[in-house]
Amino acid sequence: MDRLHQIAERFAAAAPACDYWTLRLVDEESDHLAVRQGVVEPSALGASLGAMVTLVVGGGVGYGATSDLSPAGLRAAADQALGWAARHAWLGLFDAAHYPRSALRADYHGPVAEPWEAMRLPDKLLLLQEANQALALDERIVDWSAWLAYRRVQQLLVTSDGGHITQVWTYVSPGLAAVANAGSQTQRRHGGGADWSQQGGLERISAAGLLADAPRVAEEAIALLTAPECPRDTRDLILTPGQMVLQIHESIGHPLELDRILGDERNYAGTSFVTPEMFGTYRYGSELLNVTFDPTVPGELVSGAADDDGTPSRREYLIRNGILERPLGGVLSQARSGLPGTANARACAWDRPPIDRMANINLEPGEGTLDALIARVERGILMDTNRSWSIDDSRNKFQFGCELGRLIVDGELKGLVRNPGYRGISAEFWRSLDGVGGPAAREVRGVQNCGKGEPNQSVYVGHATPPALFRSVAVFGGGE
Amino acid sequence: MNQDAFYSLSEQLCAGLRGDEHLFCSLDAESSDFVRLNRNRIRQAGAVRSAVLGLNLISGARQAEAACDLSGELEQDLTLARGLLARLRERLAHVPDDPYLNYSTEPSVSDCWVGETPPDAGAAVADLITAAAGLDLVGIWASGEISAGLASSIGHSHWHASTSFNLDWSAYLESDKAVKASYSGLTWEPGVLAGKLEAMRQGLAVMARPARVITPGRYRAYLAPAAVAELMGMLAWGGFDLKSHRTRQTPLLKLIRGERAFDPRVTIREEQDRGLTPVFTGDGFIQPGRVTLIDQGRFGHCLVDSRDAKEYGEPVNAAGGSPASVGLDPGELAPADVLARLDTGLWIGNLWYCNWSDPNDARVTGMTRFGTWWVEQGRIEAPVKVMRFDDSLYHLLGDRLEGLTTERDLLMDPQTYEGRSTESALLPGALVGGIELAL
């Protein structure tokens, strides 16, 4: 971080004449280790360092991003930003007077109990070999992998108003995958943390169960080969936290993004079935639906102090008792729309500008255990671990598939079913929510590949959620 | 970063190698302007200058990789890269021999430059906004230079640079009623833009008619080339790479087992000789001009990168497992006859957000989007509300395929996730006897 401070001081000392500027410096390091079929894959170290200069001048705003952090390099980036600010002042969608200004001074250092460096490389590879070997149960397992990914992001945002925000996020992400085959049927299972990302250090390895989970992952992949197809009809559905993450993400998180509602994303990620007049009155779901924007959950992927405009992060209700309250929009989108919002202007890296993104979007717990939800189902299916996702550009008509399904009959879990999927319409689906697990059943998870924006950006998004019960959902299985 | 600077950096890094070490250096650089548009005004505009150096250090049968951003200042970049090399050298002491290590041991050279001077982005965007007056236009302008390089201690020396623009946009009538267009190339021609905008205005006029609401079921359909591109994108997702075939994960498992086939009119190739992507791989191999992936409905050849080649004993023919320049052979359906042959059904301009519904049966789900019309007795009648399809490619490209158009569209990939894409697709439209709409 010292290096970033020095660069920022040099820039500030020779900052261009303008109404407002920000400098966002991002220093990332990464490592990726994997073992596949007993063979250590080539490891991959990563080091990225760059800056984005944003300038507001004469009613326009523009940015310049560069990996040349010399005074000349930053000056060139500022010149680019000035040029685009002038174009924006002439042809812009909004007056740059609306552009958010920050004087916030804040620090965030994500939780790390055991640093990545605390374990030697040979020990990490040994651990991966052991986990990988545990997946190779018999010849029906045709591919098997174990991996460890490390990423640390250090970011410094400084502004001409005196804003100074340092944030450090650390992620250690383990995972397992097993592929089973018999004839023309192939089934995959993931586990060991593959869909259970959080901030943290090496402690994430045991927390996610990298070693302990391997036999289950492989056994379930094999069992799915001979399981019957998921039935095609309408019945009750219980989604585990592993699939709830995706359901919340696609059919609550994205529709509430204010830039979609404002039309910015209509050419790419799409618009939203949510319109401005719905906030405050629209029944998004049943009384059990309580959804928050919550950057305060320890270890959740996007917990932090501020967004990339320098707006301080704080917890907000988006949906309370089923009623839509607030969209996901940063200060600029709030000014453009006249709606309240959240601190969610985020960029994926130094070379992309902030846009409205999800951060941590969580389903607040209800009551009881997963077993208690199952006991309330006479005829249904439990689905676990997302494998397929598709939703329309208004975020309404969705179809999702899972890796594993299990029938529920008279309040009890029964046999596996393969290729389970379900479809519905967001605006109706959440009204069928009839059970949300309690605090003990909640899991803090998220996704690492949320894509959006022009130019494109892929970011981490946190989702903490219990399992949930939905009534009368259209489900289906595989086959042509 | 320019070619000379990259080669100089690589040369000095290679000069510091020890013993039996080899080093492959790669470069991915771009100098791009991005202008985001909404309501035919600039939403967000800026410039990105980036350069990423890739390193693969090899010693005997061991290898380790690294990547870092370059500043463009030689001494500073050398210090950074040498630091990474030291870490890789330290790492090699702890990793086992890699049985699938595979790199070209023959020196080779290539040098390819596509395009010349890019259009002035600011002027072009101003042209666009003026020409599109009155339209609710939303989209992205991207332009500038994209460079890729490879240099090695063995004597590889490769460079591929292109200067281009890609304008990807749509025009909205209301809510989700919209038509889409793209204009990409090497030379900015306002006349071409004007033609595309005029076509959009005509499309919007049809879009203004009351939308037809259709129920789930099977419908005859014409898939325009942009819609076919989405299906090709699904096939690129595990359909062609050798590892997915050998580990039985390919969605074309039933095709390679001989249980299913595509229509004999379906021939799909990787057409590297289109020249828009680098001819070299990161390990110094030269890709063939063409690889036939699907040959008259039957599986042809897999794409084989260097690692898979070593693991499975096949020759290298690709930089990765998915095509970067896919081509679907044209058919015999004249574009002027499409509506008459469709008769009554759907004219689908774009598909979107596709995913495997059941990969074992090559079943894909996704949405219609943008210009999708209801056609009755050969005449476009009305726009259609977005619909979800869920159908197998063994039907859409197989037993329900009625024809492919004689004309093909060259579609430049507008994606910019890992920098501006240089991928492209050359595709006809497809007439199908039925597509299953599920929701």
Side-chain angles (χ1 to χ4, degrees):
Chain A
M1 196 61 87
D2 288 346
R3 177 171 54 161
L4 303 189
H5 285 120
Q6 290 167 10
I7 295 166
E9 284 168 14
R10 281 203 310 266
F11 178 82
C18 60
D19 301 326
Y20 178 69
W21 58 256
T22 71
L23 174 70
R24 186 166 52 83
L25 292 155
V26 185
D27 184 355
E28 278 199 50
E29 62 178 37
S30 62
D31 196 356
H32 191 272
L33 306 171
V35 174
R36 174 178 166 266
Q37 297 190 14
V39 173
V40 176
E41 302 266 284
S43 63
L45 291 169
S48 171
L49 176 61
M52 172 161 286
V53 178
T54 303
L55 301 182
V56 178
V57 58
V61 57
Y63 67 82
T66 181
S67 51
D68 180 358
L69 302 180
S70 67
L74 291 176
R75 197 160 47 245
D79 287 344
Q80 298 277 359
L82 275 174
W84 281 114
R87 289 280 177 184
H88 184 268
W90 177 33
L91 299 168
L93 178 65
F94 55 87
D95 186 338
H98 292 308
Y99 195 81
R101 300 178 73 123
S102 176
L104 180 69
R105 301 186 76 83
D107 296 288
Y108 173 81
H109 205 295
V112 176
E114 197 178 351
W116 176 248
E117 300 79 13
M119 183 186 258
R120 297 168 58 246
L121 175 65
D123 295 331
K124 289 172 185 153
L125 294 177
L126 199 62
L127 175 71
L128 288 174
Q129 284 282 17
E130 196 178 342
N132 189 238
Q133 182 59 37
L135 293 168
L137 290 186
D138 63 38
E139 71 283 353
R140 288 171 294 180
I141 298 292
V142 292
D143 203 11
W144 58 102
S145 306
W147 63 87
L148 270 178
Y150 163 70
R151 181 181 177 218
R152 189 179 68 160
V153 182
Q154 299 184 89
Q155 177 167 294
L156 171 62
L157 175 69
V158 293
T159 77
S160 59
D161 285 0
H164 188 281
I165 302 161
T166 60
Q167 300 190 89
V168 182
W169 297 274
T170 304
Y171 308 95
V172 171
S173 306
L176 301 168
V179 182
N181 170 263
S184 53
Q185 185 68 218
T186 297
Q187 293 290 328
R188 296 180 191 82
R189 276 303 266 153
H190 291 83
D195 65 342
W196 200 332
S197 302
Q198 289 184 14
Q199 294 184 47
L202 292 170
E203 69 275 13
R204 289 294 309 147
I205 296 173
S206 54
L210 178 70
L211 264 180
D213 213 14
R216 177 192 67 82
V217 168
E219 285 164 8
E220 288 182 350
I222 290 170
L224 284 166
L225 292 174
T226 52
E229 291 288 342
C230 179
R232 179 182 293 264
D233 57 20
T234 298
R235 57 180 68 198
D236 295 344
L237 175 66
I238 289 180
L239 300 179
T240 65
Q243 173 61 18
M244 279 298 291
V245 162
L246 199 280
Q247 185 67 52
I248 294 165
H249 183 93
E250 301 288 5
S251 70
I252 293 179
H254 279 308
L256 298 195
E257 290 164 345
L258 197 42
D259 61 344
R260 284 174 171 271
I261 296 168
L262 287 165
D264 294 350
E265 286 283 342
R266 289 177 296 166
N267 184 58
Y268 180 58
T271 178
S272 177
F273 72 91
V274 173
T275 53
E277 64 275 12
M278 290 181 176
F279 292 95
T281 57
Y282 179 73
R283 174 156 293 285
Y284 206 98
S286 73
E287 289 277 345
L288 299 175
L289 186 62
N290 288 285
V291 179
T292 55
F293 173 92
D294 193 348
T296 67
V297 177
E300 194 165 358
L301 282 173
V302 199
S303 289
D307 72 6
D308 294 337
D309 282 342
T311 306
S313 301
R314 68 180 187 206
R315 186 171 187 263
E316 304 280 6
Y317 267 88
L318 306 175
I319 299 170
R320 198 186 316 244
N321 300 327
I323 302 297
L324 183 62
E325 285 194 357
R326 178 185 292 262
L328 289 164
V331 170
L332 178 59
S333 293
Q334 293 169 38
R336 290 169 59 200
S337 66
L339 290 169
T342 51
N344 69 316
R346 300 176 58 207
C348 68
W350 60 263
D351 60 352
R352 293 290 182 266
I355 55 175
D356 289 343
R357 302 304 302 249
M358 284 174 256
N360 294 335
I361 309 301
N362 301 341
L363 175 61
E364 294 301 307
E367 291 179 353
T369 62
L370 174 61
D371 286 345
L373 291 178
I374 293 168
R376 293 174 52 205
V377 175
E378 184 180 329
R379 178 174 167 273
I381 298 183
L382 175 145
M383 295 192 195
D384 181 48
T385 313
N386 179 260
R387 80 168 193 186
S388 176
W389 60 100
S390 175
I391 190 165
D392 74 35
D393 58 308
S394 299
R395 297 282 150 171
N396 222 351
K397 291 182 176 180
F398 66 79
Q399 177 169 319
F400 301 139
C402 292
E403 289 185 351
L404 177 144
R406 198 175 282 276
L407 294 174
I408 304 171
V409 179
D410 295 332
E412 291 185 3
L413 276 182
K414 298 295 183 183
L416 291 180
V417 289
R418 72 187 184 196
N419 304 316
Y422 63 102
R423 59 175 74 98
I425 294 174
S426 298
E428 300 165 1
F429 183 75
W430 290 102
R431 297 176 191 181
S432 71
L433 178 67
D434 194 33
V436 178
R442 185 176 87 151
E443 295 177 4
V444 178
R445 294 176 175 248
V447 300
Q448 296 187 330
N449 60 344
C450 176
K452 187 183 167 184
E454 292 176 310
N456 305 145
Q457 305 193 41
S458 179
V459 298
Y460 287 11
V461 171
H463 297 296
T465 174
L469 164 63
F470 300 87
R471 299 293 186 187
S472 300
V473 178
V475 301
F476 57 87
E480 289 183 28
Chain B
M1 169 169 275
N2 65 33
Q3 186 179 24
D4 290 341
F6 169 63
Y7 286 152
S8 175
L9 176 68
S10 304
E11 190 178 341
Q12 294 190 56
L13 290 173
C14 290
L17 295 178
R18 303 171 187 170
D20 66 350
E21 289 178 345
H22 285 302
L23 179 65
F24 280 81
C25 303
S26 62
L27 178 77
D28 286 295
E30 71 172 288
S31 176
S32 298
D33 288 302
F34 295 111
V35 184
R36 196 164 196 206
L37 299 147
N38 185 10
R39 304 193 191 286
N40 200 30
R41 306 290 288 177
I42 294 175
R43 160 66 183 89
Q44 198 168 39
V48 173
R49 307 287 177 264
S50 68
V52 179
L53 175 70
L55 301 172
N56 187 9
L57 182 64
I58 298 162
S59 178
R62 300 177 178 200
Q63 65 172 328
E65 299 171 354
C68 63
D69 288 325
L70 296 176
S71 71
E73 200 283 311
L74 181 61
E75 286 308 315
Q76 189 177 325
D77 289 338
L78 268 174
T79 301
L80 177 65
R82 282 173 175 150
L84 266 184
L85 267 182
R87 290 179 64 192
L88 291 180
R89 193 168 283 126
E90 192 179 300
R91 178 159 281 203
L92 285 183
H94 299 292
V95 300
D97 285 356
D98 183 352
Y100 307 140
L101 170 64
N102 190 17
Y103 56 93
S104 162
T105 55
E106 298 295 322
S108 58
V109 175
S110 71
D111 199 14
C112 180
W113 299 76
V114 181
E116 294 177 354
T117 307
D120 178 273
V125 168
D127 285 350
L128 169 66
I129 289 174
T130 302
L135 293 179
D136 179 3
L137 185 147
V138 56
I140 178 82
W141 164 278
S143 65
E145 183 172 331
I146 307 168
S147 310
L150 181 75
S152 79
S153 56
I154 293 167
H156 300 93
S157 180
H158 294 278
W159 188 257
H160 186 280
S162 57
T163 302
S164 63
F165 67 90
N166 195 327
L167 175 60
D168 184 78
W169 82 98
S170 44
Y172 272 75
L173 189 69
E174 60 182 45
S175 71
D176 62 355
K177 279 187 163 185
V179 293
K180 184 168 177 61
S182 63
Y183 177 28
S184 57
L186 311 176
T187 307
W188 175 248
E189 297 178 53
V192 174
L193 175 71
K196 288 177 179 285
L197 288 169
E198 178 53 31
M200 290 188 100
R201 287 187 165 95
Q202 292 173 12
L204 286 171
V206 179
M207 197 59 88
R209 299 175 191 170
R212 183 175 181 115
V213 178
I214 58 176
T215 55
R218 186 181 299 178
Y219 293 87
R220 289 181 60 75
Y222 170 72
L223 305 174
V228 174
E230 287 295 312
L231 302 183
M232 293 297 112
M234 290 307 299
L235 284 176
W237 189 357
F240 302 126
D241 76 287
L242 182 63
K243 186 182 296 174
S244 77
H245 279 239
R246 295 298 172 89
T247 59
R248 326 304 282 171
Q249 296 183 72
T250 175
L252 299 182
L253 189 54
K254 288 188 174 176
L255 184 76
I256 61 174
R257 286 170 58 88
E259 296 170 15
R260 301 292 273 127
F262 292 140
D263 185 277
R265 287 167 288 194
V266 173
T267 293
I268 301 173
R269 306 173 211 276
E270 166 68 332
E271 299 175 343
Q272 206 289 324
D273 58 6
R274 205 174 290 155
L276 299 174
T277 55
V279 69
F280 50 91
T281 74
D283 311 289
F285 294 99
I286 302 298
Q287 302 175 67
R290 295 200 168 205
V291 179
T292 301
L293 306 169
I294 302 290
D295 190 1
Q296 297 180 45
R298 306 280 174 187
F299 199 82
H301 299 277
C302 281
L303 294 174
V304 188
D305 66 18
S306 62
R307 191 166 183 81
D308 287 0
K310 190 67 176 288
E311 180 173 357
Y312 299 110
E314 298 275 351
V316 176
N317 66 10
S322 59
S325 304
V326 71
L328 171 60
D329 279 6
E332 296 179 344
L333 176 61
D337 296 339
V338 165
L339 286 173
R341 285 281 304 277
L342 174 59
D343 188 39
T344 296
L346 295 165
W347 194 101
I348 299 174
N350 297 81
L351 294 174
W352 187 68
Y353 217 137
C354 293
N355 206 319
W356 292 115
S357 178
D358 178 11
N360 287 304
D361 287 284
R363 202 176 96 200
V364 177
T365 188
M367 298 300 305
T368 64
R369 192 174 178 188
F370 301 113
T372 295
W373 321 105
W374 179 254
V375 175
E376 206 152 298
Q377 295 182 322
R379 287 179 23 171
I380 291 175
E381 292 290 325
V384 176
K385 288 279 190 186
V386 295
M387 293 295 291
R388 169 167 298 287
F389 77 97
D390 190 358
D391 211 337
S392 172
L393 296 180
Y394 293 131
H395 295 311
L396 299 178
L397 298 176
D399 52 28
R400 291 193 218 127
L401 182 69
E402 294 190 358
L404 297 167
T405 58
T406 54
E407 303 294 318
R408 296 191 290 176
D409 285 0
L410 177 61
L411 305 167
M412 304 297 295
D413 184 6
Q415 297 234 26
T416 49
Y417 278 109
E418 302 294 331
R420 288 169 55 212
S421 172
T422 56
E423 295 187 2
S424 62
L426 184 58
L427 304 170
L431 181 66
V432 299
I435 183 170
E436 291 285 350
L437 302 184
L439 187 64

